[in-house]
Amino acid sequence: MPRKIPFSIVHASSSDDAYSVKELEVHNPLVKGWVTGRFCLYPQELVLRLTERARIRKLQILSHQFLIGTKIEFFIGNLPPDHITTLHGTRYKRLGYVSLSDNEKTGFKARELKSVHVDAMGQYLKLVIHKNHVNKYNLFNQVGLVAINVIGDDLLDQDEKPVDPTDPSLKYLLNTYLPTGRSFQDDPTGSHDNDMPDPAIWGAINRPDYISPMDDLAFDMYQDPEVAQIIRKLDVRKNEAVLQERYDLAKRLKQAIADLQKVGEKLGRFEVEKRRAVENEDYDLAKIKKMQMDEYRLQIYKQLELHDLLDITRSERDKLRTPPREYSPPPPTLETIQESPRQPPPQRQPEPVNDERPLPALKNSPRREPSPDTARTVEEDSAGITGEPEPMTEKQMREAGTVIDVFGIHLVSGAFSKTWSYREDAFVAIYKQMEEMPTGTDKEELRNLLRAAIFLIQKGIRDKVFAVFNAALNLLRMILEEWIPKHKIPKQDTTHAVDKTLPELLARTGDTAQRLRETDIKFIVEMAQFKEVRSMVPHTCVQPFKLSMATRLAVSRVVIVEKLLNQLGLEKNSGLTVDNVMKFCVNALDHNAGEVRDGAVRIIFDLYRMRGDEVREHLPPDEPSTRKNTLYRQIFEGFDRIDGRPTEAELKSQQKAAQKADHERKQAQINALQSELQQLKDLASTQGKKDADDESKSGDINIHINVVSGKDGASSPNKNTRQLQNKAKSTKASSIADGSEFGEDIDKMCIFCNEKNDDFNEEGLDLHYWKHCPMLKRCTHCKQVVEISGLTEHLLTECEKRTQFAKCPRCHEAVEKAQLDKHVQEKVCSVARSKDQANRCPLCHMNIAAGEDGWKKHLMSRDGCKNNPRRELALKRAQEQRGKAGAGRGRVGKAGAGRGRGTSRTPRK
């Protein structure tokens, strides 16, 4: 009968330091398997040596979940007779190959179990592994095998012989399976016919294709090692009971084996979770898992009465009660630590994907192949556990009296049991009972059922075991999302369910176990989106909490509100408003934990992006005194960034940079003006005597170029000043030559607006041009002072930004190129006339009278251009000057009149 054949690995082409090839020789849930070296050369080879020469019937390969080879070839080998045992002397025969899936459909979380049937004899088995499937987790192009299993028959010599009842090789089997008191040794000739086993039993033993499920690779890889050994012992006792025709015992043993298989798989997962918790240094979780395993193991052993089924002694029974020695993996190395970031953390132990098929090389064999075994899938199921939970205490029965009336004493006893698996099963049973309840059930019955379920859910939420806590959440989710809408439960009962469970859920958000805390927060946010309770949950979550609240609780509350705001927003029925969220945040800003304050600030920023200035109404005014507080300065600066405005620190930095640039620009302009002044002086000194005499006659009309700065810090450009001064010089010279009426006072008069002022010296005129003359204007783009009449020409030909302007074909004004198409299409301007008919004012965009007088009247008169800011100032100064001049003439006239009267009087003779 085929059985599992032990083997040892005698050769491997390469091996990763953290995944030894010796891992393949052990089968249990904690093995890591073998992995090739990084960036190894393919194909890779593995050579297995069986303990003895055997007839191989079945090969099983459990592949890694993401380090997967594309193909594996199988070879069987033997050593020549009288050959020295060496690897290089082995002669191999190719059996065939199997292809492996790339595992992309399973998200690289499931392991593929390949089971193939062969029929070959030998002692050496060679696996040739071809290149790997490429995926995002396989960073170093490696291939990994978690386990290898070989099933076959032992051979006493090279030639296989048919099974014969008289064959001495069956001595062990017959001695094992014959009833007590009967032995094959007593009559090796087989003359005692009455001592031979039943023909039906003998036929089962003689089946050449029967493989025990205990020899399957999935059995050892997903079973707790201790439970696996117990199952094997029970299987032997079951066969003995069948031979002894003790069928009641055989039935009990069969049921115990089925129950223990599920228990062993569950304990195997617990062991994996405990090991993962230890690797993550979550020792609280590891301790809980260990306690769960010990409690669960002893409870099952007691329920199944294993000491009776196994018929063991007291000493053996004490050993059985002792927890098994844990599998001790090799100590972590640097390579192991570096390996962990590239492995996706599976949520649970990967399940085998069975694929049993004959090798391609054997498909055309004339021999009839045995039918493949049925694929097994490891399932998480607690069914089959026998026994009853312990009786409830009197206090518990008083506490749960109404619940017992609804669900019965058996189910409620499980919910109150000290064994966590009973508590979990109770919630699963309630879930199924409520889910299967038909519509149209009496409303009072539904109400009692809901309140009883909520009572137990409250207890489950407070449970310390995560499995029970999670089962309670699943039940609550089904009630709120499906059961209440299905049976149209009244609003008051729905409110009762939320009011009783939500405070319990919020309390567990401060739990020390991170896994439980994160699950709780996720469920609360999910709960807020259920249609029937959508507005109730957010309204409770945004209630301000006490500043003495524990940090974990406060942080979790802030995280919940932040997630609710991002997912629900401020819609009408979301339960969130600017008012209640800001009250929550302002309260959280006073908490002593920085994590809580930072979370509140994030919520305020999210809220500001939604509603803007409504948020500011709930905060102190944005004043320098408020910004002295670091927290509020951080908030207001965040508002500035959201609005696209520079912060206070950024403004100061920009001001310093602008001042520095302005100072450098001033200095450059001063240097340029001084250079030009020196050139003018040099030119004047070389002029002839005639020019010097003309200058003395016409007065001092030498214009000195100075930089005069206004209050705004801007300075007049040198080119612009030179143009104005040259024009003034030319005009003054013409006035003197023509005998103008202004000839005597030409030095104290502005030649553009004709204003006279005793302060009009060299610097006074420059200041007048720069600040006050109504006929001039500073260009907003280059800060040069130009005549308003020539502003359009300046923007098109002289300005530093002249490339940004173009001439409108209709109004002939300078328009920014970016706005020209819109300006022309919308026809917002009027048609310009020719220069001999009218002038075009660039300030008010109107056609005015032609000639120089037309410009002066438009820019200087009381009814002139409304868009000329200097016009009214010039009128005001002119009025003040006329008032002063009139007052002076009046005083002179009175004095002269008095003197005239005095001198004209002559006494009478």
Side-chain angles (χ1 to χ4, degrees):
M1 184 174 63
R3 64 176 181 84
K4 178 181 289 190
I5 301 178
F7 61 85
S8 60
I9 307 294
V10 295
H11 171 70
S13 299
S14 66
S15 180
D16 193 294
D17 293 340
Y19 297 88
S20 171
V21 72
K22 292 298 181 181
E23 289 273 325
L24 295 176
E25 299 176 1
V26 182
H27 294 167
N28 64 51
L30 297 180
V31 296
K32 298 186 297 182
W34 164 76
V35 176
T36 63
R38 299 184 178 185
F39 301 111
C40 62
L41 298 178
Y42 290 99
Q44 292 279 299
E45 291 186 358
L46 276 179
V47 178
L48 288 64
R49 182 169 60 195
L50 308 182
T51 55
E52 294 180 358
R53 187 170 180 270
R55 181 178 182 180
I56 301 176
R57 297 299 188 98
K58 186 176 182 179
L59 297 174
Q60 290 183 301
I61 301 292
L62 183 59
S63 176
H64 196 274
Q65 58 264 30
F66 59 86
L67 306 178
I68 310 167
T70 55
K71 183 174 70 172
I72 299 178
E73 293 183 275
F74 297 91
F75 296 82
I76 190 71
N78 287 289
L79 285 173
D82 301 328
H83 193 279
I84 300 176
T85 303
T86 173
L87 182 63
H88 300 287
T90 309
R91 300 173 182 174
Y92 291 102
K93 176 185 177 182
R94 186 175 184 271
L95 300 178
Y97 71 93
V98 294
S99 300
L100 298 176
S101 171
D102 59 8
N103 213 13
E104 184 176 358
K105 292 182 179 180
T106 67
F108 307 101
K109 293 183 180 180
R111 298 169 178 172
E112 184 177 12
L113 176 60
K114 286 284 187 179
S115 298
V116 293
H117 295 272
V118 297
D119 189 3
M121 291 180 289
Q123 190 176 1
Y124 289 86
L125 183 67
K126 182 167 69 172
L127 280 65
V128 178
I129 305 165
H130 292 264
K131 65 180 181 179
N132 62 289
H133 284 292
V134 178
N135 58 66
K136 61 181 179 180
Y137 300 113
N138 196 349
L139 303 180
F140 306 110
N141 296 335
Q142 296 170 283
V143 168
L145 297 180
V146 181
I148 300 175
N149 192 28
V150 181
I151 299 176
D153 298 313
D154 291 332
L155 294 179
L156 298 180
D157 50 28
Q158 295 182 0
D159 298 326
E160 182 184 16
K161 297 180 180 179
V163 179
D164 188 352
T166 63
D167 193 335
S169 64
L170 295 178
K171 182 187 301 183
Y172 172 78
L173 292 174
L174 293 177
N175 287 337
T176 300
Y177 288 100
L178 281 175
T180 304
R182 298 180 180 181
S183 175
F184 187 75
Q185 296 176 353
D186 297 336
D187 187 11
T189 62
S191 60
H192 297 169
D193 295 336
N194 294 332
D195 292 343
M196 293 302 295
D198 184 30
I201 304 299
W202 175 254
I205 295 175
N206 198 31
R207 282 178 54 193
D209 59 344
Y210 176 75
I211 299 176
S212 173
M214 286 65 173
D215 290 331
D216 193 273
L217 182 59
F219 179 80
D220 282 325
M221 292 302 297
Y222 296 94
Q223 280 285 339
D224 176 73
E226 179 182 327
V227 176
Q229 294 300 325
I230 295 174
I231 292 175
R232 286 189 172 95
K233 292 181 180 179
L234 292 177
D235 187 60
V236 172
R237 285 220 63 193
K238 182 191 71 173
N239 293 332
E240 291 178 355
V242 172
L243 291 173
Q244 296 170 4
E245 299 182 354
R246 299 172 60 186
Y247 299 116
D248 290 336
L249 177 59
K251 181 179 179 181
R252 287 182 58 199
L253 290 167
K254 178 183 177 182
Q255 183 61 43
I257 290 172
D259 294 341
L260 281 175
Q261 284 182 341
K262 297 176 180 179
V263 171
E265 292 168 358
K266 197 167 187 177
L267 287 172
R269 285 193 294 274
F270 283 158
E271 187 68 33
V272 173
E273 292 173 1
K274 183 183 73 174
R275 176 182 175 184
R276 187 178 299 124
V278 172
E279 292 175 350
N280 296 334
E281 298 186 358
D282 190 352
Y283 301 118
D284 291 336
L285 178 59
K287 181 179 179 181
I288 292 175
K289 290 297 177 183
K290 183 177 184 301
M291 294 174 60
Q292 291 176 353
M293 291 175 63
D294 295 343
E295 180 183 1
Y296 188 47
R297 189 189 305 274
L298 295 178
Q299 184 71 25
I300 295 301
Y301 290 171
K302 181 179 178 181
Q303 291 173 358
L304 296 179
E305 299 178 350
L306 285 181
H307 58 280
D308 293 332
L309 293 175
L310 293 173
D311 194 18
I312 58 178
T313 62
R314 180 178 295 275
S315 60
E316 292 175 334
R317 189 184 312 169
D318 294 337
K319 291 181 181 178
L320 183 62
R321 290 175 179 174
T322 304
R325 183 174 179 267
E326 297 183 5
Y327 172 78
S328 300
T333 62
L334 179 60
E335 292 293 328
T336 307
I337 298 173
Q338 292 176 348
E339 181 72 14
S340 59
R342 66 187 180 94
Q343 294 192 10
Q347 298 298 323
R348 55 177 296 177
Q349 180 75 2
E351 299 179 352
V353 180
N354 283 321
D355 183 10
E356 301 197 7
R357 65 185 71 178
L359 288 173
L362 302 176
K363 288 182 178 180
N364 298 325
S365 174
R367 184 178 60 84
R368 182 180 178 182
E369 294 293 335
S371 60
D373 295 339
T374 304
R376 296 176 62 251
T377 302
V378 179
E379 299 179 356
E380 184 175 1
D381 189 1
S382 58
I385 298 178
T386 59
E388 298 292 335
E390 65 273 15
M392 297 176 64
T393 64
E394 184 178 353
K395 179 181 178 181
Q396 291 173 343
M397 295 186 69
R398 287 198 304 268
E399 180 185 358
T402 57
V403 182
I404 295 174
D405 295 338
V406 176
F407 292 117
I409 185 66
H410 177 76
L411 194 150
V412 180
S413 297
F416 278 82
S417 174
K418 295 180 180 179
T419 304
W420 68 268
S421 58
Y422 287 129
R423 302 197 297 270
E424 181 184 11
D425 292 342
F427 283 107
V428 174
I430 296 173
Y431 186 104
K432 292 180 179 179
Q433 180 177 340
M434 297 187 68
E435 188 179 36
E436 296 171 358
M437 180 165 288
T439 56
T441 307
D442 182 67
K443 293 296 183 182
E444 188 63 25
E445 182 181 352
L446 292 173
R447 184 173 184 233
N448 294 334
L449 186 65
L450 175 63
R451 291 180 177 267
I454 293 300
F455 176 84
L456 293 179
I457 289 173
Q458 286 180 272
K459 187 177 184 302
I461 292 175
R462 294 192 294 266
D463 203 295
K464 295 182 179 180
V465 179
F466 178 79
V468 182
F469 171 81
N470 195 46
L473 293 190
N474 290 336
L475 177 59
L476 180 60
R477 179 185 291 107
M478 187 273 294
I479 290 174
L480 297 177
E481 189 176 17
E482 302 174 8
W483 195 82
I484 288 178
K486 175 182 176 181
H487 297 283
K488 299 180 181 179
I489 302 299
K491 188 72 173 179
Q492 58 182 4
D493 294 328
T494 305
T495 304
H496 170 80
V498 175
D499 292 343
K500 291 295 183 180
T501 56
L502 186 56
E504 300 286 352
L505 291 169
L506 292 175
R508 291 309 299 272
T509 59
D511 198 274
T512 56
Q514 182 180 0
R515 179 187 180 190
L516 188 147
R517 187 168 62 249
E518 292 177 351
T519 302
D520 192 17
I521 293 174
K522 182 179 179 181
F523 179 82
I524 293 174
V525 176
E526 181 185 0
M527 182 178 174
Q529 301 179 36
F530 297 157
K531 183 178 179 181
E532 300 297 326
V533 296
R534 183 171 184 179
S535 61
M536 303 180 194
V537 178
H539 180 74
T540 303
C541 293
V542 295
Q543 294 300 318
F545 50 78
K546 294 181 179 180
L547 299 180
S548 58
M549 177 180 283
T551 300
R552 271 195 300 267
L553 275 171
V555 171
S556 298
R557 185 70 64 83
V558 171
V559 170
I560 290 172
V561 174
E562 184 177 7
K563 290 180 178 292
L564 290 176
L565 182 62
N566 291 333
Q567 295 190 15
L568 302 180
L570 298 175
E571 298 178 4
K572 184 177 181 181
N573 297 324
S574 67
L576 298 176
T577 64
V578 176
D579 184 62
N580 60 20
V581 175
M582 282 304 299
K583 286 182 179 179
F584 172 85
C585 293
V586 172
N587 176 74
L589 291 176
D590 294 331
H591 198 274
N592 56 4
E595 297 175 85
V596 180
R597 298 194 298 270
D598 293 342
V601 171
R602 291 196 304 270
I603 297 175
I604 291 175
F605 288 161
D606 292 339
L607 203 59
Y608 188 79
R609 293 185 182 94
M610 299 178 185
R611 291 300 178 87
D613 290 340
E614 291 184 38
V615 178
R616 291 181 181 268
E617 298 176 1
H618 296 81
L619 297 172
D622 186 3
E623 298 175 350
S625 59
T626 307
R627 292 206 177 210
K628 290 181 180 180
N629 184 298
T630 304
L631 190 59
Y632 285 110
R633 181 171 66 251
Q634 176 187 354
I635 294 174
F636 289 129
E637 288 181 352
F639 290 168
D640 293 337
R641 293 190 185 95
I642 294 173
D643 293 336
R645 298 195 304 265
T647 63
E648 184 177 352
E650 292 172 347
L651 283 174
K652 290 181 179 179
S653 177
Q654 292 176 2
Q655 289 176 357
K656 289 182 180 179
Q659 290 175 358
K660 181 178 179 181
D662 186 60
H663 176 74
E664 293 175 352
R665 186 176 66 253
K666 286 181 181 179
Q667 190 63 38
Q669 292 175 353
I670 290 173
N671 294 337
L673 290 174
Q674 289 178 348
S675 176
E676 293 179 1
L677 178 61
Q678 185 62 38
Q679 291 177 4
L680 290 176
K681 289 181 178 180
D682 295 342
L683 181 63
S685 62
T686 58
Q687 287 180 348
K689 182 178 180 181
K690 182 178 180 180
D691 293 338
D693 293 341
D694 291 342
E695 286 186 2
S696 60
K697 291 179 181 179
S698 61
D700 187 11
I701 61 173
N702 291 322
I703 306 299
H704 299 280
I705 304 173
N706 297 301
V707 178
V708 181
S709 299
K711 292 182 180 180
D712 56 356
S715 58
S716 59
N718 54 352
K719 180 179 179 181
N720 173 241
T721 306
R722 185 169 63 252
Q723 291 174 347
L724 295 177
Q725 298 288 7
N726 290 340
K727 183 173 182 178
K729 179 179 179 180
S730 175
T731 304
K732 291 180 181 180
S734 300
S735 299
I736 293 173
D738 296 341
S740 171
E741 58 178 335
F742 303 109
E744 297 179 356
D745 298 326
I746 193 68
D747 289 335
K748 302 295 183 180
M749 182 184 72
C750 172
I751 56 91
F752 298 104
C753 63
N754 296 335
E755 179 182 348
K756 295 180 180 179
N757 196 320
D758 293 337
D759 296 332
F760 281 179
N761 51 18
E762 295 176 358
E763 295 182 357
L765 279 173
D766 284 342
L767 180 62
H768 173 73
Y769 297 154
W770 190 245
K771 289 285 186 181
H772 306 300
C773 183
M775 299 294 291
L776 306 179
K777 174 180 174 55
R778 271 187 294 175
C779 175
T780 56
H781 302 282
C782 64
K783 303 303 181 183
Q784 290 191 17
V785 178
V786 297
E787 292 186 80
I788 297 176
S789 60
L791 178 60
T792 298
E793 188 67 20
H794 167 78
L795 292 175
L796 294 174
T797 59
E798 298 177 352
C799 183
E800 295 176 357
K801 303 294 180 64
R802 57 184 176 274
T803 57
Q804 300 179 6
F805 291 91
K807 187 175 183 179
C808 175
R810 183 167 52 248
C811 64
H812 296 171
E813 292 187 37
V815 181
E816 292 185 8
K817 291 181 179 179
Q819 303 292 330
L820 181 61
D821 293 340
K822 180 179 180 181
H823 176 84
V824 173
Q825 292 176 0
E826 294 182 354
K827 298 182 180 180
V828 295
C829 59
S830 58
V831 179
R833 300 179 184 177
S834 59
K835 290 187 177 181
D836 57 346
Q837 295 179 349
N839 293 320
R840 182 76 176 188
C841 177
L843 303 182
C844 64
H845 313 294
M846 301 293 292
N847 294 322
I848 60 177
E852 188 71 20
D853 293 337
W855 279 112
K856 288 185 177 181
K857 182 178 180 181
H858 179 69
L859 296 174
M860 296 176 57
S861 66
R862 189 171 301 277
D863 298 329
C865 183
K866 304 298 183 182
N867 293 337
N868 185 9
R870 296 186 179 186
R871 178 180 60 84
E872 294 183 358
L873 295 176
L875 292 172
K876 184 176 180 181
R877 288 198 306 275
Q879 184 177 0
E880 292 176 353
Q881 290 179 359
R882 285 195 297 269
K884 293 180 180 179
R889 287 195 298 270
R891 287 194 298 270
V892 172
K894 289 180 180 180
R899 285 192 298 271
R901 287 192 297 270
T903 56
S904 63
R905 291 179 182 179
T906 54
R908 294 181 179 179
K909 294 181 181 180

